[in-house]
Amino acid sequence: GTAALPFGFTARAIYHDFEAEDDGTDLGYELDFVLAKPLPWNMKSLLKAAFYNAEEGNFLDTQRLTFQVEYTY
């Protein structure tokens, strides 16, 4: 779910568990976090963080941090 924070911010956390469809191999899991703030002029700022933890196979643990601004028209 989404949590309301002070100063108009909202936060959300998402968990993904990845598994192969054919044999059920555990491919890892990912935790995602989003911090959002509405801006004037139909805009919104977003700060996103993602942390993927590979379990089996030739996959790499990955961390990402992104910032974006959205405009709705």
Side-chain angles (χ1 to χ4, degrees):
T2 302
L5 300 174
F7 307 107
F9 285 94
T10 57
R12 186 171 183 186
I14 304 106
Y15 175 81
H16 304 277
D17 188 20
F18 299 105
E19 181 174 290
E21 290 183 15
D22 57 349
D23 63 3
T25 300
D26 186 5
L27 301 176
Y29 64 89
E30 181 175 289
L31 291 171
D32 299 328
F33 301 97
V34 180
L35 184 63
K37 169 101 168 113
L39 299 172
W41 309 294
N42 297 326
M43 295 172 45
K44 177 173 36 172
S45 62
L46 298 161
L47 181 64
K48 298 179 179 182
F51 305 92
Y52 172 70
N53 184 18
E55 294 292 336
E56 298 178 24
N58 295 325
F59 302 102
L60 297 174
D61 291 348
T62 306
Q63 298 83 36
R64 295 198 177 178
L65 181 66
T66 60
F67 175 76
Q68 71 186 57
V69 176
E70 294 181 354
Y71 174 73
T72 305
Y73 58 94

